[in-house]
Coordinates of all heavy atoms in Angstrom, one line a residue:
L1 N 0.8 -1.2 0.0 CA 0.0 0.0 0.0 C 0.9 1.3 0.0 O 0.4 2.4 0.3 CB -0.9 0.0 1.2 CG -2.1 -0.9 1.2 CD1 -2.5 -1.4 2.5 CD2 -3.3 -0.2 0.6
E2 N 2.1 1.1 -0.4 CA 3.0 2.3 -0.3 C 2.5 3.4 -1.2 O 2.0 3.3 -2.3 CB 4.4 1.9 -0.8 CG 5.1 0.9 0.1 CD 6.5 0.5 -0.4 OE1 6.6 0.3 -1.7 OE2 7.4 0.3 0.4
N3 N 2.5 4.6 -0.6 CA 2.1 5.9 -1.3 C 0.7 5.9 -1.7 O 0.2 6.7 -2.5 CB 3.0 6.1 -2.5 CG 4.5 6.3 -2.2 OD1 4.8 7.2 -1.3 ND2 5.3 5.5 -2.8
S4 N -0.2 5.1 -1.1 CA -1.6 5.0 -1.4 C -2.3 6.2 -0.7 O -2.0 6.6 0.4 CB -2.2 3.7 -1.1 OG -2.1 3.4 0.3
N5 N -3.4 6.6 -1.3 CA -4.2 7.7 -0.8 C -5.4 7.1 -0.1 O -6.3 6.5 -0.7 CB -4.7 8.6 -1.9 CG -5.6 9.8 -1.4 OD1 -5.7 10.0 -0.2 ND2 -6.1 10.5 -2.3
L6 N -5.5 7.2 1.2 CA -6.6 6.6 2.0 C -7.4 7.7 2.8 O -8.0 7.5 3.8 CB -6.0 5.6 3.0 CG -5.4 4.4 2.4 CD1 -4.3 3.8 3.3 CD2 -6.4 3.4 2.0
I7 N -7.4 8.9 2.2 CA -8.1 10.0 2.8 C -9.6 9.7 2.8 O -10.2 9.5 1.8 CB -7.8 11.4 2.1 CG1 -6.3 11.8 2.3 CG2 -8.7 12.5 2.6 CD1 -5.9 13.0 1.5
G8 N -10.2 9.8 4.0 CA -11.7 9.6 4.1 C -12.1 8.1 3.9 O -13.3 7.9 3.9
A9 N -11.2 7.2 3.8 CA -11.5 5.8 3.6 C -12.0 5.1 4.9 O -11.7 5.6 6.0 CB -10.3 5.1 3.0
D10 N -12.7 4.0 4.7 CA -13.1 3.3 5.9 C -12.2 2.1 6.1 O -12.2 1.1 5.3 CB -14.6 2.7 5.7 CG -15.1 2.1 7.0 OD1 -14.3 1.8 7.9 OD2 -16.3 1.8 7.0
L11 N -11.3 2.2 7.1 CA -10.3 1.1 7.3 C -10.5 0.3 8.6 O -9.6 -0.3 9.1 CB -8.9 1.8 7.4 CG -8.5 2.6 6.2 CD1 -7.1 3.3 6.4 CD2 -8.4 1.8 4.9
R12 N -11.8 0.3 9.0 CA -12.1 -0.5 10.2 C -12.1 -2.0 10.0 O -12.4 -2.5 8.9 CB -13.4 0.0 10.8 CG -13.5 1.4 11.2 CD -14.9 1.8 11.6 NE -15.8 1.7 10.4 CZ -17.1 1.8 10.5 NH1 -17.7 1.9 11.7 NH2 -17.8 1.7 9.4
L13 N -11.6 -2.7 11.0 CA -11.5 -4.2 11.0 C -10.7 -4.8 9.9 O -11.0 -5.9 9.4 CB -13.0 -4.7 11.0 CG -13.9 -4.4 12.2 CD1 -15.2 -5.1 12.1 CD2 -13.2 -4.7 13.5
I14 N -9.7 -4.0 9.4 CA -8.9 -4.5 8.3 C -7.8 -5.5 8.8 O -7.5 -5.4 10.0 CB -8.3 -3.4 7.5 CG1 -7.3 -2.6 8.4 CG2 -9.3 -2.6 6.8 CD1 -6.5 -1.6 7.6
H15 N -7.3 -6.3 7.9 CA -6.3 -7.2 8.3 C -5.0 -6.8 7.5 O -5.1 -6.8 6.3 CB -6.6 -8.7 7.9 CG -5.5 -9.7 8.1 ND1 -5.1 -10.1 9.4 CD2 -4.7 -10.3 7.3 CE1 -4.1 -10.9 9.3 NE2 -3.9 -11.1 8.0
I16 N -4.0 -6.4 8.2 CA -2.8 -5.8 7.5 C -1.5 -6.5 7.9 O -0.4 -5.9 7.8 CB -2.7 -4.3 7.8 CG1 -2.7 -4.1 9.3 CG2 -3.8 -3.5 7.2 CD1 -2.3 -2.6 9.7
K17 N -1.6 -7.8 8.3 CA -0.3 -8.5 8.7 C 0.6 -8.5 7.5 O 0.3 -8.9 6.4 CB -0.7 -9.9 9.1 CG 0.5 -10.6 9.7 CD 0.1 -12.0 10.1 CE 1.3 -12.8 10.7 NZ 1.0 -14.2 11.1
N18 N 1.9 -8.0 7.8 CA 3.0 -8.0 6.8 C 2.7 -7.0 5.6 O 3.4 -7.1 4.6 CB 3.3 -9.4 6.3 CG 3.7 -10.3 7.3 OD1 4.4 -9.9 8.3 ND2 3.3 -11.6 7.3
A19 N 1.7 -6.2 5.7 CA 1.4 -5.2 4.6 C 2.4 -4.1 4.6 O 3.0 -3.7 5.7 CB 0.0 -4.6 4.8
K20 N 2.7 -3.5 3.5 CA 3.7 -2.4 3.4 C 2.9 -1.1 3.4 O 2.0 -0.9 2.5 CB 4.4 -2.5 2.0 CG 5.4 -3.7 2.0 CD 6.1 -3.8 0.6 CE 7.0 -5.0 0.5 NZ 7.6 -5.1 -0.8
L21 N 3.1 -0.3 4.4 CA 2.3 0.9 4.7 C 3.1 2.2 4.6 O 2.7 3.2 5.2 CB 1.5 0.8 6.0 CG 0.6 -0.4 6.2 CD1 0.1 -0.6 7.6 CD2 -0.6 -0.4 5.2
N22 N 4.2 2.1 4.0 CA 5.1 3.3 3.9 C 4.4 4.4 3.2 O 3.9 4.3 2.1 CB 6.4 2.9 3.2 CG 7.2 1.8 3.9 OD1 7.0 1.6 5.1 ND2 8.0 1.1 3.2
D23 N 4.5 5.6 3.8 CA 4.0 6.9 3.2 C 2.5 6.8 2.8 O 2.2 7.5 1.8 CB 4.9 7.2 1.9 CG 6.3 7.4 2.3 OD1 6.6 8.1 3.3 OD2 7.2 6.9 1.6
I24 N 1.7 6.1 3.5 CA 0.3 6.1 3.1 C -0.3 7.4 3.6 O 0.1 8.0 4.6 CB -0.5 4.9 3.8 CG1 -0.4 4.9 5.3 CG2 0.0 3.6 3.2 CD1 -1.3 3.9 6.0
N25 N -1.3 7.9 2.9 CA -1.9 9.2 3.2 C -3.3 9.1 3.9 O -4.2 8.6 3.3 CB -2.1 10.0 1.9 CG -2.3 11.5 2.1 OD1 -2.4 11.9 3.3 ND2 -2.4 12.2 1.1
I26 N -3.3 9.4 5.2 CA -4.5 9.2 6.0 C -4.9 10.6 6.6 O -4.1 11.4 7.0 CB -4.3 8.2 7.1 CG1 -4.1 6.8 6.5 CG2 -5.5 8.2 8.1 CD1 -3.9 5.8 7.6
S27 N -6.2 10.9 6.6 CA -6.7 12.2 7.1 C -7.5 11.9 8.4 O -7.8 10.8 8.8 CB -7.5 12.9 6.1 OG -8.7 12.2 5.8
K28 N -8.0 13.0 9.0 CA -8.9 13.0 10.1 C -10.2 12.3 9.8 O -10.9 11.7 10.6 CB -9.2 14.4 10.7 CG -8.0 15.0 11.3 CD -8.4 16.4 11.8 CE -7.2 17.1 12.5 NZ -7.5 18.5 12.9
E29 N -10.6 12.4 8.5 CA -11.9 11.8 8.0 C -11.8 10.2 7.8 O -12.7 9.5 7.6 CB -12.4 12.4 6.7 CG -12.8 13.9 6.9 CD -11.6 14.8 7.0 OE1 -10.6 14.5 6.5 OE2 -11.8 15.9 7.6
T30 N -10.5 9.7 7.8 CA -10.3 8.3 7.6 C -10.8 7.5 8.8 O -10.5 7.9 10.0 CB -8.8 8.0 7.4 OG1 -8.3 8.7 6.3 CG2 -8.6 6.5 7.1
K31 N -11.7 6.5 8.6 CA -12.2 5.8 9.7 C -11.3 4.6 10.1 O -11.0 3.7 9.2 CB -13.6 5.2 9.3 CG -14.6 6.3 9.1 CD -15.9 5.6 8.6 CE -17.0 6.7 8.2 NZ -18.2 6.1 7.7
T32 N -10.7 4.7 11.3 CA -9.8 3.6 11.7 C -10.2 3.1 13.0 O -11.0 3.6 13.7 CB -8.4 4.2 11.8 OG1 -8.3 5.2 12.8 CG2 -7.9 4.8 10.5
D33 N -9.6 2.0 13.4 CA -9.8 1.4 14.8 C -8.5 0.6 15.2 O -7.5 0.9 14.6 CB -11.0 0.5 14.8 CG -10.9 -0.7 13.8 OD1 -9.8 -0.9 13.3 OD2 -11.9 -1.3 13.5
S34 N -8.7 -0.2 16.1 CA -7.5 -0.9 16.7 C -6.8 -1.8 15.7 O -5.6 -2.0 15.8 CB -7.9 -1.8 17.9 OG -8.4 -1.0 18.9
C35 N -7.5 -2.2 14.6 CA -6.9 -3.1 13.7 C -5.8 -2.4 12.8 O -5.0 -3.1 12.2 CB -7.9 -3.7 12.7 SG -9.1 -4.8 13.6
L36 N -5.7 -1.1 12.8 CA -4.7 -0.4 12.1 C -3.5 -0.1 13.0 O -2.5 0.4 12.5 CB -5.3 0.9 11.5 CG -4.4 1.6 10.4 CD1 -4.3 0.7 9.2 CD2 -5.0 2.9 10.0
E37 N -3.6 -0.3 14.3 CA -2.6 0.0 15.2 C -1.6 -1.2 15.3 O -1.9 -2.3 14.9 CB -3.1 0.2 16.6 CG -4.1 1.4 16.7 CD -3.5 2.7 16.3 OE1 -2.3 2.9 16.5 OE2 -4.2 3.6 15.8
N38 N -0.4 -0.9 15.8 CA 0.7 -1.9 15.7 C 1.3 -2.2 17.1 O 2.4 -2.5 17.3 CB 1.8 -1.4 14.8 CG 2.8 -2.5 14.4 OD1 2.3 -3.7 14.3 ND2 4.0 -2.2 14.2
N39 N 0.4 -2.2 18.2 CA 0.8 -2.6 19.5 C 0.0 -3.7 20.0 O -1.1 -4.0 19.5 CB 0.8 -1.4 20.5 CG -0.6 -0.8 20.6 OD1 -1.5 -1.4 21.0 ND2 -0.8 0.5 20.1
L40 N 0.4 -4.4 21.0 CA -0.2 -5.6 21.5 C -1.6 -5.4 22.0 O -2.5 -6.2 21.7 CB 0.6 -6.2 22.6 CG 0.1 -7.5 23.2 CD1 0.1 -8.6 22.2 CD2 1.0 -8.0 24.4
F41 N -1.8 -4.3 22.7 CA -3.2 -4.0 23.3 C -4.2 -3.9 22.1 O -5.3 -4.5 22.2 CB -3.1 -2.7 24.1 CG -4.5 -2.3 24.6 CD1 -5.1 -2.9 25.6 CD2 -5.1 -1.2 24.0 CE1 -6.3 -2.5 26.1 CE2 -6.4 -0.8 24.5 CZ -7.0 -1.4 25.5
H42 N -3.9 -3.1 21.1 CA -4.9 -2.9 20.0 C -5.0 -4.1 19.2 O -6.1 -4.4 18.7 CB -4.4 -1.7 19.2 CG -4.7 -0.4 19.8 ND1 -6.0 0.1 19.9 CD2 -3.9 0.5 20.4 CE1 -5.9 1.3 20.5 NE2 -4.7 1.6 20.8
K43 N -3.9 -4.9 19.1 CA -4.0 -6.2 18.3 C -5.0 -7.1 19.0 O -5.7 -7.8 18.3 CB -2.6 -6.8 18.2 CG -1.7 -6.1 17.1 CD -0.4 -6.9 17.0 CE 0.4 -6.3 15.9 NZ 1.7 -7.0 15.8
L44 N -4.9 -7.2 20.3 CA -5.8 -8.0 21.1 C -7.3 -7.6 20.9 O -8.2 -8.4 20.7 CB -5.5 -8.1 22.6 CG -4.3 -8.9 22.9 CD1 -3.9 -8.6 24.4 CD2 -4.5 -10.4 22.7
I45 N -7.5 -6.3 21.0 CA -8.9 -5.8 20.8 C -9.4 -6.1 19.4 O -10.5 -6.5 19.2 CB -8.9 -4.2 21.0 CG1 -8.7 -3.9 22.5 CG2 -10.2 -3.6 20.5 CD1 -8.6 -2.4 22.8
C46 N -8.5 -5.9 18.4 CA -8.9 -6.2 17.0 C -9.2 -7.7 16.8 O -10.2 -8.1 16.2 CB -7.7 -5.8 16.1 SG -8.1 -6.2 14.3
K47 N -8.4 -8.6 17.4 CA -8.6 -10.0 17.3 C -9.9 -10.4 17.9 O -10.7 -11.2 17.4 CB -7.5 -10.7 17.9 CG -7.4 -12.2 17.6 CD -6.1 -12.9 18.1 CE -6.1 -14.3 17.6 NZ -4.8 -14.9 18.0
I48 N -10.2 -9.9 19.1 CA -11.5 -10.2 19.8 C -12.7 -9.7 19.0 O -13.7 -10.4 18.9 CB -11.5 -9.6 21.2 CG1 -10.5 -10.4 22.1 CG2 -12.9 -9.8 21.9 CD1 -10.2 -9.7 23.5

């Protein structure tokens, strides 16, 4: 997903294991949740 434009996109509950996320473009309007985070706590929430 390098250099992809994700402004205003819905990225909730996505699976991104081993995905390349360098220089992705995200805005305040982009819908995200724990599944886009890269720490253990959020990974557990996403998995549940």
Side-chain angles (χ1 to χ4, degrees):
L1 282 148
E2 292 178 322
N3 299 305
S4 60
N5 180 8
L6 294 157
I7 292 176
D10 187 349
L11 302 177
R12 295 173 298 165
L13 300 183
I14 61 171
H15 175 72
I16 55 168
K17 187 177 180 180
N18 298 324
K20 295 179 182 178
L21 302 171
N22 300 335
D23 299 316
I24 60 172
N25 195 356
I26 293 177
S27 67
K28 292 180 180 179
E29 291 76 28
T30 303
K31 297 177 183 177
T32 62
D33 59 12
S34 296
C35 294
L36 194 64
E37 302 297 331
N38 197 29
N39 57 65
L40 181 60
F41 175 73
H42 285 287
K43 282 183 177 180
L44 283 170
I45 291 176
C46 179
K47 192 169 185 178
I48 292 171

